[in-house]
């Protein structure tokens, strides 16, 4: 159990007047209160908070004075069409609003159904204008597996791996919200026995990841120290970094991923805040006895590991048509990664690189030590040599058109109410 400060908002006995939020299986009990942006009946974009199977219309709550006691600056941010302004206000403001919303939805308060709308049938949008996106490579199990496949003769981990969180600058414009179809891209590929070709890619893969949204950023020229890093993070989403392995193999040297990673990355619509995750934090990430000592600027000083369980499910088009359940490909935990979001943020800003509210950092593929905890098909099928059998009688080495990939994630801990991150899904559509 965490030693991070818990308060009344985490009380596992607390209940809401929204009945569905009290279902023990709900991802969104009153202890969670994740943030998103939905399309309203007039087509506008509004901030919402998930509660059970409903969405609290936050702007309506502000305008009807149901969230009193907050500053005018906070009220204004909550009536915006994205979460960027609210994210920029910092931890004290986020915490004040979390308590105000929990009080509004508490079973002891007067119900106000008119502030709610059903989640089902409501279109979710990207929760923030994502200015910049950086993807890391923080799972040593993933890095070791990939290293073994691509460099079978050497040390699978490159010399820098245990000294710094390796990452690359990604493409914010290609991030889409869960449910967006993923069109198979074209790319330049190099067959082993012929010249390069340009055609629809063959080796389409997913990557099981988490993303952390930056709340309060830093001025250019300043750094975010480890002791401050977790407080700068607004919250966490599920992230699927769709990847073109055949493009990646040909293009990645010497500058790293490019077109293999810039056609789509999906995120779940609800941002679960670091406050909501407080009961699910622990010390680490753990290092092995013979690992090199960390330089001081990367040494953990707070509980930076987030214990979030994740599962990947796959359903082919024919499975969905015949009503078959998806199969589970993977079950893992974000706590398995070797670099925390705090270390990623401290390292990212160690040069004075400015981060802004709404920037997103990805964890990199989350893999564990066991085969059923490998976070992408490249690892799970060992580059296609151990295909996955599907219940419709087909096999998968990589994703085919019509496949629907869904990642779910949740947190469980003794004494705490279970909370979930919802899901992140996408269906692969044919190349155009
Ligand atoms: Ca990735």
């Amino acid at each position: 159990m965490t030693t991070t400060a818990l308060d009344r908002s985490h009380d596992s006995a607390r209940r809401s007047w929204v009945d569905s939020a009290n279902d023990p299986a709900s991802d969104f009990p009153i202890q969670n209160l994740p943030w998103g942006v939905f399309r309203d009946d007039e087509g506008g974009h509004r901030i919402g908070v998930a509660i059970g199977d409903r969405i609290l219309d936050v702007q309506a709550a502000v305008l009807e004075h149901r969230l009193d006691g907050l500053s005018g600056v906070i009220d204004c941010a909550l009536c915006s069409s994205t979460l960027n302004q609210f994210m920029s206000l910092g931890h004290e403001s986020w915490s004040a609003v979390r308590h105000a919303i929990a009080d509004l939805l508490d079973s002891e308060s007067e119900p106000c159904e008119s502030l709610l709308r059903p989640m089902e049938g409501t279109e979710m949008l990207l929760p923030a204008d994502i200015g910049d996106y950086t993807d890391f490579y923080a799972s040593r199990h993933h890095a070791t597996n990939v290293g073994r496949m691509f460099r079978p003769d050497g040390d699978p981990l490159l010399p820098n791996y245990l000294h710094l969180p390796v990452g690359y600058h990604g493409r914010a414009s290609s991030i889409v919200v869960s449910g967006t179809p993923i069109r198979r891209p074209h790319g330049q590929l190099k067959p082993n026995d012929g010249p390069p070709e340009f055609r629809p890619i063959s080796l389409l893969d997913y990557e099981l990841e988490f993303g952390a949204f930056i709340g309060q950023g830093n001025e250019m020229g300043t750094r975010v120290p480890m002791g401050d890093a977790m407080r700068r993070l607004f919250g966490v989403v599920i992230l699927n970094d769709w990847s073109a392995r055949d493009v990646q193999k040909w293009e990645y040297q010497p500058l790293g991923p490019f077109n293999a990673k810039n056609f789509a990355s999906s995120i779940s619509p609800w941002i679960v805040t670091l406050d909501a995750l407080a009961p699910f934090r622990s010390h680490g990430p753990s290092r092995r006895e013979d690992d090199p000592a960390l330089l001081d600027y990367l040494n953990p000083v707070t509980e930076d590991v987030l214990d979030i369980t994740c599962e990947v499910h796959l359903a082919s088009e024919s499975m969905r048509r015949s009503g078959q359940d998806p199969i589970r490909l993977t079950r893992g935990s974000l706590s398995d990664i070797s670099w925390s979001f705090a270390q990623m943020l401290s390292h990212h800003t160690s040069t004075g690189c400015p981060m802004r509210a709404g920037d997103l950092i990805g964890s990199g593929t989350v893999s564990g030590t066991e085969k059923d905890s490998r976070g992408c098909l490249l690892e799970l099928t060992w580059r296609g040599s151990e295909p996955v059998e599907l219940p419709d009688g087909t096999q998968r080495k990589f994703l085919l058109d019509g496949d629907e990939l869904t990642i779910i994630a949740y947190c469980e801990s003794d004494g705490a109410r279970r909370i979930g991150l919802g899901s992140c899904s996408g269906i692969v559509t044919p190349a155009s």
Side-chain angles (χ1 to χ4, degrees):
M1 187 68 173
T2 183
T3 57
T4 307
L6 301 183
D7 57 40
R8 190 171 129 66
S9 74
H10 304 104
D11 179 356
S12 60
R14 204 166 179 189
R15 294 168 68 82
S16 171
W17 51 262
V18 181
D19 281 340
S20 57
N22 303 321
D23 178 345
S26 173
D27 276 352
F28 308 122
I30 194 168
Q31 292 81 2
N32 192 348
L33 306 177
W35 293 88
V37 169
F38 64 93
R39 194 184 299 283
D40 68 19
D41 298 333
E42 285 75 49
H45 299 192
R46 285 198 192 203
I47 292 173
V49 164
I51 178 77
D53 60 5
R54 304 299 173 93
I55 299 171
L56 173 71
D57 180 336
V58 175
Q59 179 174 319
V62 169
L63 296 180
E64 291 180 26
H65 304 287
R66 299 300 301 258
L67 295 174
D68 281 346
L70 303 175
S71 71
V73 174
I74 292 178
D75 281 352
C76 180
L78 294 177
C79 295
S80 171
S81 59
T82 68
L83 282 160
N84 295 67
Q85 199 183 337
F86 180 54
M87 289 169 161
S88 73
L89 298 180
H91 184 260
E92 253 175 60
S93 298
W94 310 333
S95 184
V97 178
R98 173 175 167 83
H99 285 287
I101 291 179
D103 288 344
L104 170 68
L105 296 171
D106 191 289
S107 55
E108 301 292 311
S109 301
E110 183 76 17
C112 42
E113 297 278 350
S114 64
L115 299 178
L116 304 179
R117 58 185 295 136
M119 212 174 264
E120 195 176 336
T122 298
E123 183 190 354
M124 296 304 296
L125 305 160
L126 281 178
D129 278 331
I130 303 170
D132 274 304
Y133 163 54
T134 306
D135 198 21
F136 284 87
Y137 194 53
S139 162
R140 84 190 280 168
H141 307 303
H142 172 68
T144 302
N145 284 337
V146 174
R148 277 202 190 114
M149 275 182 254
F150 287 93
R151 293 181 303 278
D153 300 328
D155 186 338
L157 293 181
L158 291 171
N160 58 9
Y161 191 83
L162 295 171
H163 294 274
L164 57 85
V166 170
Y168 68 95
H169 291 111
R171 187 75 196 164
S173 62
S174 67
I175 297 173
V176 296
V177 74
S178 171
T180 306
I182 305 301
R183 188 171 291 287
R184 179 178 299 274
H186 282 66
Q188 186 184 129
L189 328 167
K190 168 76 173 68
N192 288 336
D193 49 2
E197 298 171 358
F198 182 73
R199 61 173 174 79
I201 67 149
S202 299
L203 310 187
L204 179 61
D205 204 353
Y206 64 89
E207 288 189 338
L208 161 61
E209 304 196 19
F210 289 88
F213 274 98
I214 306 300
Q216 241 180 347
N218 59 303
E219 293 293 323
M220 189 159 182
T222 66
R223 302 198 294 252
V224 176
M226 282 295 290
D228 202 21
M230 291 301 270
R231 283 170 53 84
R232 301 290 187 119
L233 301 177
F234 179 72
V236 175
V237 289
I238 303 165
L239 190 156
N240 179 354
D241 182 21
W242 303 93
S243 298
R245 299 299 183 199
D246 33 10
V247 173
Q248 188 176 356
K249 189 175 75 170
W250 173 229
E251 74 171 8
Y252 86 102
Q253 287 175 316
L255 289 185
F258 185 50
N259 279 350
K261 303 282 187 175
N262 73 2
F263 55 96
S265 300
S266 304
I267 61 171
S268 54
W270 296 108
I271 308 175
V272 173
T273 63
L274 267 288
D275 270 343
L277 292 167
F280 312 100
R281 286 173 61 168
S282 50
H283 279 290
S286 59
R287 292 174 71 82
R288 297 177 190 167
E289 228 162 69
D290 55 348
D291 285 348
L294 287 171
L295 293 173
D296 254 355
Y297 80 102
L298 290 172
N299 258 326
V301 291
T302 60
E303 294 185 308
D304 299 341
V305 173
L306 302 173
D307 299 317
I308 307 177
T309 304
C310 41
E311 297 179 12
V312 178
H313 298 256
L314 175 66
S316 67
E317 198 170 1
S318 72
M319 286 168 66
R320 294 199 302 285
R321 249 199 330 259
S322 60
Q324 281 175 314
D325 287 336
I327 62 154
R328 192 174 78 191
L329 296 177
T330 299
R331 186 168 186 273
S333 172
L334 179 61
S335 62
D336 267 335
I337 62 173
S338 296
W339 295 97
S340 66
F341 282 123
Q343 288 167 319
M344 296 178 215
L345 179 56
S346 288
H347 183 66
H348 204 314
T349 60
S350 61
T351 55
C353 171
M355 306 291 284
R356 291 168 295 195
D359 285 358
L360 186 67
I361 53 179
S363 61
T365 306
V366 175
S367 290
T369 50
E370 305 302 317
K371 179 167 182 183
D372 68 357
S373 61
R374 294 178 189 162
C376 62
L377 282 172
L378 177 71
E379 285 172 86
L380 200 59
T381 70
W382 210 255
R383 248 177 147 175
S385 63
E386 301 167 25
V388 175
E389 306 285 341
L390 300 191
D392 64 1
T394 60
Q395 286 188 333
R396 286 296 177 282
K397 298 175 177 175
F398 290 93
L399 296 171
L400 298 184
D401 294 347
D403 285 351
E404 181 173 36
L405 204 288
T406 301
I407 306 174
I408 63 167
Y410 49 91
C411 305
E412 293 171 331
S413 173
D414 287 346
R417 174 65 159 87
R418 174 194 183 279
I419 62 171
L421 279 77
S423 69
C424 178
S425 66
I427 294 180
V428 178
T429 61
S432 57

